[in-house]
Amino acid sequence: MRRKTIQGTVVMAVIEILGHATTNEIIKTVKERFPEIGVATIYRNLENLEEIGLIRKLSTNLKENIYESTKYEDHDHFICSDCGKIIDVKKNDTLKNNFDEEGNLVNDTSVTYYGICKDCIKNKMS
């Protein structure tokens, strides 16, 4: 298991500030605050933080990785196809005691819903 570094602490803080953050958003924000941190170091720390379980990479059909802190309760995501907003939604858990209907043991799930958020719908209606 890798240890947490000062650079990792900075990357982690940026992810917590941004909420759902793309790799480019993380790099941009870290570099604005600490220009001396190299891009390769940021990527290494993203991998390290994910490996030790402090952040998770969201499973999406977007071209860029999205990261979030794991300190919040497990949840699913909704991504608006109009504005790109990512919204946390309550987990729709149909598993019984971590087994699916076929009897397979499920260790983790990741669900992402895609559509149009209520704000974009409201804007289209007005």
Side-chain angles (χ1 to χ4, degrees):
M1 186 151 127
R2 296 179 176 173
R3 63 185 175 85
K4 199 167 170 196
T5 63
I6 294 169
Q7 294 90 341
T9 301
V10 169
V11 172
M12 185 73 215
V14 165
I15 291 170
E16 287 183 355
I17 290 166
L18 295 175
H20 302 106
T22 66
T23 306
N24 284 332
E25 290 170 333
I26 294 166
I27 291 168
K28 179 180 179 261
T29 306
V30 168
K31 297 290 281 173
E32 284 172 355
R33 290 173 165 79
F34 301 94
E36 68 279 1
I37 296 179
V39 173
T41 300
I42 296 169
Y43 275 105
R44 250 189 330 276
N45 279 281
L46 286 171
E47 289 175 13
N48 182 34
L49 290 167
E50 186 177 12
E51 183 180 298
I52 62 177
L54 294 176
I55 64 171
R56 78 174 60 89
K57 192 183 323 180
L58 302 186
S59 175
T60 72
N61 68 359
L62 302 175
K63 294 177 183 161
E64 199 172 357
N65 289 329
I66 308 287
Y67 293 91
E68 72 177 355
S69 172
T70 58
K71 74 178 188 179
Y72 304 106
E73 183 178 326
D74 197 17
H75 56 274
D76 294 332
H77 296 93
F78 176 91
I79 300 177
C80 180
S81 56
D82 278 9
C83 69
K85 185 180 347 179
I86 300 173
I87 302 166
D88 293 339
V89 295
K90 185 178 179 198
K91 192 157 208 53
N92 184 5
D93 194 359
T94 58
L95 301 175
K96 293 188 177 35
N97 299 322
N98 290 340
F99 287 90
D100 68 11
E101 60 276 352
E102 300 293 322
N104 302 303
L105 176 61
V106 178
N107 293 322
D108 193 17
T109 61
S110 177
V111 176
T112 304
Y113 301 95
Y114 299 90
I116 301 173
C117 72
K118 63 183 178 185
D119 295 334
C120 288
I121 290 172
K122 193 184 307 181
N123 288 339
K124 287 180 182 209
M125 303 294 270
S126 39

